[in-house]
Amino acid sequence: MNLVRTTLIAVSLSLVMAAPSYAGGSHRGDYCDHKKVHKIEKRMDRQYHRIERGIDRDRLTHKEAKQLKKRYRKIRRLSREYRDDGYLSRSEYNHLTRKLDKNSRLIREYMRNGIDRYIAYHDEYSSHRHNRYHWD
């Protein structure tokens, strides 16, 4: 009788422990909100277009544009890795959001830093090139 009771308790505990795994992924926090995924995608697209617009309007130097595009590609790759399993967890979403925030601040900083863009680094008569390291 004691063996039957112990077996029943063990089986019921194992079912209770295994129930979340059969509940459709509820053990992961249920955060696969497609609106959030779409929001991340749209935000990445807007950042890419901001970078391209900065290049077209000569507001980014070649070096700045190269660095921003590299950061953009890393974020895009990370986003794909996070969504490979068809799921975006809350921590993954927050991580992507923080990276996009930082990239957005950097784009804004580079586009408003007041340097004569591409020409400043290639024109030998540019005032920025000569005054960059000298204080008169």
Side-chain angles (χ1 to χ4, degrees):
M1 190 62 121
N2 200 11
L3 180 63
V4 172
R5 179 187 287 169
T6 306
T7 305
L8 276 172
I9 291 173
V11 168
S12 63
L13 283 175
S14 66
L15 288 175
V16 168
M17 299 289 277
S21 65
Y22 293 110
S26 64
H27 65 285
R28 295 200 290 193
D30 280 336
Y31 197 70
C32 189
D33 186 4
H34 295 291
K35 290 180 184 177
K36 298 290 185 182
V37 172
H38 184 64
K39 186 177 178 179
I40 292 284
E41 288 294 319
K42 284 188 65 85
R43 193 164 174 204
M44 283 192 287
D45 289 342
R46 282 193 308 267
Q47 282 191 6
Y48 181 78
H49 290 296
R50 283 174 62 199
I51 295 168
E52 289 296 316
R53 199 169 45 242
I55 293 168
D56 292 341
R57 295 179 181 172
D58 291 331
R59 295 185 70 195
L60 293 173
T61 64
H62 178 71
K63 186 177 179 180
E64 290 170 343
K66 187 176 177 181
Q67 180 185 5
L68 289 171
K69 282 187 173 187
K70 183 177 181 180
R71 290 176 61 86
Y72 171 81
R73 283 191 306 270
K74 284 183 178 181
I75 295 170
R76 173 71 74 185
R77 191 176 317 120
L78 185 63
S79 173
R80 273 196 306 267
E81 287 174 13
Y82 282 165
R83 290 180 291 120
D84 272 348
D85 60 353
Y87 179 80
L88 184 67
S89 72
R90 186 177 309 274
S91 63
E92 292 168 344
Y93 173 77
N94 290 338
H95 187 238
L96 283 173
T97 301
R98 281 191 308 272
K99 286 197 167 288
L100 287 168
D101 289 344
K102 186 173 182 179
N103 206 37
S104 183
R105 282 191 302 271
L106 199 57
I107 293 169
R108 186 180 310 112
E109 177 186 328
Y110 283 166
M111 288 182 62
R112 296 180 182 181
N113 63 5
I115 298 173
D116 287 341
R117 304 302 177 222
Y118 188 77
I119 297 167
Y121 293 97
H122 297 289
D123 183 7
E124 64 181 317
Y125 301 107
S126 172
S127 63
H128 285 287
R129 184 174 186 182
H130 294 294
N131 293 334
R132 187 169 183 181
Y133 300 107
H134 301 297
W135 291 280
D136 294 325

